[in-house]
Amino acid sequence: MKKILVTGGAGFIGSHVVRLFANNYPDYFITNLDVLTYAGNLENITDLEALPNYEFVKGDITDEAFIDELFNSKNFDAVIHLAAESHVDRSILDPMSFVKTNVLGTGVLLNAAKKYWKNKEDKLFYHVSTDEVYGSLGETGFFTEETPYDPRSPYSASKASSDHLVKAYHHTYGLPIVISNCSNNYGSHQFPEKLLPLMINNILHSKPLPVYGKGENVRDWLWVEDHARAIDVIFHTGINGETYNVGGFNEWKNIDIVHLLCNIMDKKLNRVEGESAALITYVKDRAGHDMRYAIDATKLERELGWKPSLQFEEGLDKTIDWYLANDEWISRITSGSYKQYYDQQYTKR
Ligand code: NAD
Ligand code: DAU
């Protein structure tokens, strides 16, 4: 039985990844390691608890003694590393927690893999990263795997550092690795500090819709289950040492996506046309706000045969329906410390 450590599996993308692996590969044993920060939530994965090939372990990737003991006792064959601090605005407020989790935490995992993996050839360290490491684009062009790194926020700088560490352990110690750099994900179970769930939640509760700056920044959106499928494909068929870009071929200006959400939700909530859009409020721009991200994911399609399965309109429809059906999930996870963060973010703008 192949033993796989997935880190960050109680978070948004990680929960979809552990679900896919635990259900589709009964001959793999999945250890889901997560420290359960504000973004990690066991409710995201209750359906997995009864599976015989799955376990949850609460623990911190920055705790070297704990990670060493885990590697020593579990004899993992592979790691899929997603645990991270993931929200750009929080990295602007508190950069050091991003350095700690994303840089130090990745280093601790790499070091344990180097120390405990004797026959390295049979092992794999899969590092899940972001397109933000490439910086910001003008009106044209795409990020390819050859685009030089140019991270510009504390979040993207910490992810770029972690990517470099992973590559360094490959070149220096021969650790088998793959890295994927993905664009903006959307779908169920995303913490409602990120654009889409924040807007859906605020539309539902008729709260202001805070659009940063002029709303002209562009992001490339990918359905989270398609990202999980890409991770599956890269994990199984990616070439040792390679990087793969993952994207939706689906660019949107923020303001256009907010209008689209408003129109769809007016219909779903039986509101008069324009009622939700009236909530749009332009607020102070994010510091150092990257203008445009756009991923060229043709290497992944050409070499490994992956492409997005879902049209954006269909994915958005499913996503909105999930949040409407899970309003209590949002209420629970946004009570407590999130409320403080939200007020700090938006009341002063
Ligand atoms: P998330 O914030 O929803 O989840 C992160 C998870 O990591 C949480 O469950 C949290 O509890 C856990 N975690 C944080 N610190 C930890 C620690 N010290 N030890 C153990 N667990 C810890 O993040 P997400 O959006 O699901 O992103 C997952 C990964 O994918 C991240 O590495 C992120 O950089 C990358 N990524 C995200 C996106 C996106 O659009 N969300 C796109 C590309 C890449
Ligand atoms: O590109 C991949 C990255 O996408 C991931 O690596 C990050 O983990 C993930 O958080 C995401 O980063 P972004 O900063 O692009 O996502 P966010 O949802 O925070 O913002 C999307 C865009 O919407 C961005 O241009 C900022 C804008 N925005 C965001 C929020 C939360 C607003 O205009 N208003 C808001 O309230």
Side-chain angles (χ1 to χ4, degrees), residues 145 179-181 234 238-239 242-246 299 303-304:
E145 288 79 359
I179 299 177
S180 54
N181 295 88
I234 295 166
I239 306 291
E242 289 286 310
T243 288
Y244 298 90
N245 281 352
V246 188
K299 174 180 174 183
E303 295 186 7
L304 307 185

Side-chain angles (χ1 to χ4, degrees), residues 35-233:
V35 78
L36 301 179
T37 66
Y38 77 95
N41 185 351
L42 286 178
E43 269 189 68
N44 293 351
I45 39 178
T46 38
D47 55 315
L48 303 181
E49 275 162 16
L51 292 180
N53 65 332
Y54 170 85
E55 67 173 351
F56 177 78
V57 175
K58 184 169 189 283
D60 190 336
I61 57 166
T62 68
D63 181 342
E64 199 171 347
F66 165 76
I67 293 293
D68 271 12
E69 175 48 31
L70 194 69
F71 270 74
N72 192 23
S73 59
K74 300 277 183 182
N75 200 16
F76 297 120
D77 296 296
V79 174
I80 305 177
H81 175 36
L82 297 111
E85 289 295 338
S86 69
H87 192 46
V88 173
D89 293 322
R90 286 181 190 257
S91 82
I92 296 167
L93 293 173
D94 177 18
M96 291 316 286
S97 64
F98 284 66
V99 173
K100 185 174 179 214
T101 301
N102 299 357
V103 186
L104 178 67
T106 303
V108 166
L109 289 167
L110 287 165
N111 234 21
K114 169 178 160 287
K115 201 161 21 167
Y116 291 100
W117 284 354
K118 299 287 180 254
N119 299 319
K120 290 200 188 68
E121 303 73 45
D122 306 333
K123 312 288 188 187
L124 181 64
F125 192 102
Y126 184 152
H127 179 58
V128 177
S129 192
T130 171
D131 61 357
E132 297 196 13
V133 299
Y134 298 123
S136 182
L137 291 164
E139 283 183 10
T140 58
F142 295 91
F143 298 134
T144 73
E145 288 79 359
E146 275 72 48
T147 303
Y149 275 33
D150 182 22
R152 294 147 47 99
S153 72
Y155 164 70
S156 55
S158 70
K159 291 297 291 187
S161 307
S162 66
D163 292 13
H164 287 314
L165 268 179
V166 173
K167 289 179 196 184
Y169 272 67
H170 175 66
H171 290 293
T172 309
Y173 306 114
L175 193 74
I177 63 114
V178 282
I179 299 177
S180 54
N181 295 88
C182 188
S183 65
N184 288 60
N185 286 217
Y186 71 95
S188 70
H189 301 92
Q190 186 170 30
F191 196 87
E193 64 189 350
K194 306 275 172 31
L195 182 72
L196 262 63
L198 177 88
M199 294 297 170
I200 293 169
N201 191 35
N202 285 14
I203 292 171
L204 177 62
H205 296 286
S206 298
K207 285 163 72 175
L209 309 179
V211 173
Y212 297 169
K214 293 182 180 154
E216 285 175 357
N217 304 65
V218 173
R219 297 292 182 265
D220 165 16
W221 294 93
L222 177 68
W223 190 42
V224 63
E225 294 187 32
D226 276 332
H227 187 192
R229 277 182 43 249
I231 290 173
D232 179 5
V233 168

Side-chain angles (χ1 to χ4, degrees), residues 190-307:
Q190 186 170 30
F191 196 87
E193 64 189 350
K194 306 275 172 31
L195 182 72
L196 262 63
L198 177 88
M199 294 297 170
I200 293 169
N201 191 35
N202 285 14
I203 292 171
L204 177 62
H205 296 286
S206 298
K207 285 163 72 175
L209 309 179
V211 173
Y212 297 169
K214 293 182 180 154
E216 285 175 357
N217 304 65
V218 173
R219 297 292 182 265
D220 165 16
W221 294 93
L222 177 68
W223 190 42
V224 63
E225 294 187 32
D226 276 332
H227 187 192
R229 277 182 43 249
I231 290 173
D232 179 5
V233 168
I234 295 166
F235 179 83
H236 288 101
T237 57
I239 306 291
N240 180 14
E242 289 286 310
T243 288
Y244 298 90
N245 281 352
V246 188
F249 303 100
N250 179 39
E251 289 180 51
W252 285 81
K253 276 187 187 167
N254 293 337
I255 188 63
D256 293 341
I257 222 169
V258 172
H259 273 293
L260 179 63
L261 284 173
C262 289
N263 293 341
I264 299 173
M265 288 189 64
D266 276 348
K267 292 197 187 89
K268 286 191 189 282
L269 298 171
N270 295 319
R271 290 182 178 169
V272 292
E273 201 182 322
E275 189 177 331
S276 301
L279 298 165
I280 292 174
T281 310
Y282 290 94
V283 298
K284 188 167 158 238
D285 209 352
R286 172 184 280 174
H289 198 172
D290 286 343
M291 193 61 209
R292 175 172 166 257
Y293 305 143
I295 275 280
D296 178 348
T298 50
K299 174 180 174 183
L300 183 56
E301 182 172 354
R302 190 179 61 245
E303 295 186 7
L304 307 185
W306 174 92
K307 57 182 178 186

